[in-house]
Amino acid sequence: MHMKASDTPLGPRTVPVTIEMEDPESLGQAEKLVQLNGAVGESILELALANDIAIEHACGGVTACSTCHVHVDAGEDAFDEPEDEELDRVEEAPGNDMTSRLSCQCRITKEGTPITIRVPAWNRNAVKEVPH
């Protein structure tokens, strides 16, 4: 399933976001660290996909699975607090801890706070259908 970009108006791309990938090759990346600028109103999943970082999102970003699980290593105050629905899904993710969030629900709400996201090595959908 593919995710449709949000219709939410975005601010300027001024929020520094570092995405660290434990297994960059599985996400189609050559580098382990990618430096990006995000916008207020944009989710981490939207930012990653817009920059060709293939974070899995089996449910299309509607909080129905945990395949887009990431760790927020810095800048957690740049996001709203997680809703109960997200916390329920995060509990299903392997390797979850106190820094765990769903990247589809991590919407940037503040400027000025650098964000560091770590994408776990297991972030892949083993049953993903190959396009015909």
Side-chain angles (χ1 to χ4, degrees), residues 23-37:
D23 183 8
E25 289 180 19
S26 72
L27 299 173
Q29 297 294 308
E31 302 294 323
K32 185 174 178 136
L33 290 176
V34 176
Q35 304 284 335
L36 303 170
N37 284 319

Side-chain angles (χ1 to χ4, degrees), residues 45-75:
L45 181 58
E46 289 169 331
L47 177 63
L49 295 176
N51 287 279
D52 299 321
I53 300 171
I55 293 177
E56 286 298 337
H57 53 287
C59 73
V62 296
T63 327
C65 71
S66 62
T67 57
C68 71
H69 167 251
V70 295
H71 297 277
V72 179
D73 290 338

Side-chain angles (χ1 to χ4, degrees), residues 1-2 56 58 125-132:
M1 176 177 279
H2 296 287
E56 286 298 337
N125 182 355
V127 296
K128 184 176 182 178
E129 292 182 28
V130 177
H132 302 45

Side-chain angles (χ1 to χ4, degrees), residues 13-22 27 29 31-39 42-45 47-48 51 53 55 70-76 78-79 103 106 108 113-120:
R13 295 192 171 280
T14 58
V15 182
V17 178
T18 301
I19 298 181
E20 176 186 352
M21 293 157 277
E22 292 179 352
L27 299 173
Q29 297 294 308
E31 302 294 323
K32 185 174 178 136
L33 290 176
V34 176
Q35 304 284 335
L36 303 170
N37 284 319
E42 185 172 37
S43 75
I44 293 300
L45 181 58
L47 177 63
N51 287 279
I53 300 171
I55 293 177
V70 295
H71 297 277
V72 179
D73 290 338
E76 59 276 349
F79 306 113
S103 63
C106 285
I108 301 169
T113 303
I115 299 168
T116 302
I117 301 295
R118 183 170 31 95
V119 182

